[in-house]
Amino acid sequence: NCDLVDWKRVHARVLGDAAYTFEALKYEKIRHHFFHTNIDQKAINYAHRKGRLKLKDAIRSRIEKYLAPAEPYRDGQQTPFQGNAIFYGQHATACCCRTCLEYWHDIPKGYPLTEAQVDYCVELLELYFDERMPDLGQDPIHVPPIRNA
């Protein structure tokens, strides 16, 4: 039985070692999927409408509202799978629910996230966008809405 993940290294939560953390996350099927699947157009448009600066604010807001409480509402079901670029990043980086956060990042359930833990999640998602959407600009751009036919 070989252990593919150096858990001590991942649980250290060192952003300078995020490349290793991302490689480790990709061993799990769902994380691999969200690191490699095409991001839906609605989600891409959302990210471009925000730009990197406002997207960071939106990530922080989402983490604080849906992940930071000691017992988040509908924990394990609070992060949809598509429609918003942040959702893709949350699932890929295991910042989608407290169970995944505990398993992958050694951040225990049952306690509110500290400011440092929120910062870690936000920065991990920013690194995800660096990898998955390198063309995303700093400033918002106008993207016409997708109209239903």
Side-chain angles (χ1 to χ4, degrees):
N1 183 14
C2 75
D3 200 356
L4 298 175
V5 176
D6 180 345
W7 290 106
K8 188 173 182 182
R9 189 172 171 186
V10 172
H11 288 170
R13 297 191 301 271
V14 176
L15 287 166
D17 199 22
Y20 177 79
T21 299
F22 282 8
E23 288 309 309
L25 285 160
K26 292 173 189 175
Y27 286 123
E28 189 174 27
K29 186 176 181 179
I30 190 168
R31 313 290 159 221
H32 185 274
H33 171 78
F34 281 98
F35 267 103
H36 294 92
T37 193
N38 291 329
I39 298 173
D40 69 86
Q41 193 61 52
K42 184 177 175 185
I44 291 170
N45 290 358
Y46 172 85
H48 284 290
R49 279 191 198 98
K50 292 279 187 196
R52 284 190 185 275
L53 298 176
K54 288 186 179 177
L55 186 61
K56 181 177 182 172
D57 293 339
I59 292 168
R60 179 170 300 282
S61 176
R62 177 142 184 92
I63 296 297
E64 287 173 347
K65 183 174 181 181
Y66 294 100
L67 205 61
E71 295 180 12
Y73 176 70
R74 295 184 66 215
D75 191 35
Q77 301 174 347
Q78 72 266 51
T79 306
F81 291 106
Q82 62 185 20
N84 184 322
I86 298 170
F87 302 158
Y88 286 85
Q90 285 185 272
H91 288 296
T93 62
C95 295
C96 46
C97 69
R98 292 302 294 266
T99 298
C100 293
L101 205 60
E102 182 174 55
Y103 181 80
W104 276 101
H105 304 291
D106 198 32
I107 297 174
K109 294 167 103 174
Y111 301 92
L113 295 184
T114 65
E115 191 64 30
Q117 291 166 336
V118 169
D119 290 346
Y120 174 75
C121 293
V122 170
E123 291 176 38
L124 206 59
L125 272 107
E126 284 188 286
L127 292 170
Y128 169 84
F129 287 110
D130 289 348
E131 183 173 316
R132 291 300 316 274
M133 297 182 75
D135 63 331
L136 183 62
Q138 291 295 320
D139 297 317
I141 61 170
H142 173 72
V143 180
I146 298 172
R147 302 281 184 215
N148 293 334

